[in-house]
């Protein structure tokens, strides 16, 4: 059986945080195909160490960090597309053109499942929110044309209870809690809206190794202990955006579960 999974993200490292565990879980299945689309190269991001990149080279360096992260994870994408829209400028780019470019790749690949951001953008980042809108629109555009694939659309999400526990630990360790009202801080969705809860604990060490390859972005994880990172990498969650999930329906534990 062949199964194609496509992820559409904004920046290098969104993919590692969002879907690396799921990809690692399926890595060795012969029919598994993984398609990855990056809308930007992350050139407006932080530079943790000036020896790693300059403002001019950061986009190129982050593309390379991302490629390395998949090598370290042990499963590279079968197809990896960089659309190279301006980082922090996706919301200002022509929306229909962005939808069209994503749709062209999805039409070519006919993925069974597409993963992207939901309206919360996980961190409220405007690039995340716009990429999620564009990828979701592209999914439906191609799905409505008819043909194979396009069975499920998922929106990456953090269950509120997980964020609450995370904040409790931060406060217990003497840190400030994260504030979801602030831009770029993680925000949760109500637990009952989570339709997919994937146990990635068996591959969590590889996901953490992949996260560490995003060296220019080391600030994102530098305060976290190995134990905390492993906990973070031990599960991946999503809202099932399409087909609409009946409230109270069983939570899925695999992206392809129930698709025959
Ligand atoms: Zn991002």
């Amino acid at each position: 059986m062949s199964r194609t999974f496509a992820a559409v993200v904004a920046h290098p490292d969104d993919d590692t945080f969002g879907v690396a565990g799921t990809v690692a879980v399926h890595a060795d299945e012969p029919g598994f195909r993984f398609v990855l689309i990056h809308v930007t190269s992350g050139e407006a991001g932080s530079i943790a160490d000036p020896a790693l990149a300059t403002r001019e080279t950061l986009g190129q360096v982050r593309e390379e960090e991302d490629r390395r992260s998949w090598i370290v994870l042990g499963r590279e994408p079968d197809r990896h597309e960089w659309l190279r829209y301006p980082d922090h400028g996706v919301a200002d780019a022509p929306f229909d053109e962005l939808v069209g470019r994503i749709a062209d790749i999805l039409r070519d690949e006919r993925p069974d499942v597409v993963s992207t951001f939901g309206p919360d953008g996980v961190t409220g980042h405007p690039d995340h929110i716009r990429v999620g809108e564009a990828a979701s629109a592209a999914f439906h555009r191609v799905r409505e044309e008819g043909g194979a694939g396009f069975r499920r659309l998922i929106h990456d999400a953090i269950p509120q209870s997980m964020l609450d526990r995370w904040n409790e630990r931060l406060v217990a360790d003497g840190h400030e809690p994260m504030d979801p009202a602030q831009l770029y801080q993680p925000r949760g969705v109500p637990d009952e809206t989570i339709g997919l809860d994937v146990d990635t604990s068996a591959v969590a060490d590889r996901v953490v190794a992949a996260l560490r390859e995003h060296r220019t972005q080391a600030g994102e994880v530098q305060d976290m202990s190995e134990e905390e990172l492993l906990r973070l990498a031990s599960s991946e969650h999503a809202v099932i955006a399409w087909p609409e999930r009946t409230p109270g329906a069983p939570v899925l534990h695999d992206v392809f579960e129930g698709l025959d």
Side-chain angles (χ1 to χ4, degrees), residues 154-228:
I154 62 176
H155 286 162
D156 223 15
I158 305 173
Q160 186 59 45
S161 63
M162 191 172 151
L163 199 60
D164 291 344
R165 284 196 304 273
W166 201 349
N167 267 337
E168 281 161 22
R169 281 193 295 268
L170 280 173
V171 172
D173 291 344
H175 300 289
E176 282 289 306
M178 294 175 288
D179 177 5
Q182 285 193 33
L183 195 56
Y184 310 133
Q185 295 259 323
R187 48 212 64 198
V189 301
D191 282 31
E192 61 272 19
T193 63
I194 294 287
L196 175 70
D197 179 349
V198 183
D199 179 357
T200 55
S201 54
V203 296
D205 54 340
R206 286 156 59 193
V207 175
V208 170
L211 282 169
R212 293 202 189 284
E213 288 299 320
H214 296 279
R215 296 196 175 140
T216 56
Q217 309 304 301
E220 303 251 340
V221 294
Q222 71 187 1
D223 293 338
M224 296 174 80
S225 66
E226 186 74 13
E227 187 199 343
E228 284 173 309

Side-chain angles (χ1 to χ4, degrees), residues 10-11 13-14 117 125 128:
H11 313 109
D13 81 354
D14 294 339
F117 291 103
H125 195 309
H128 292 186

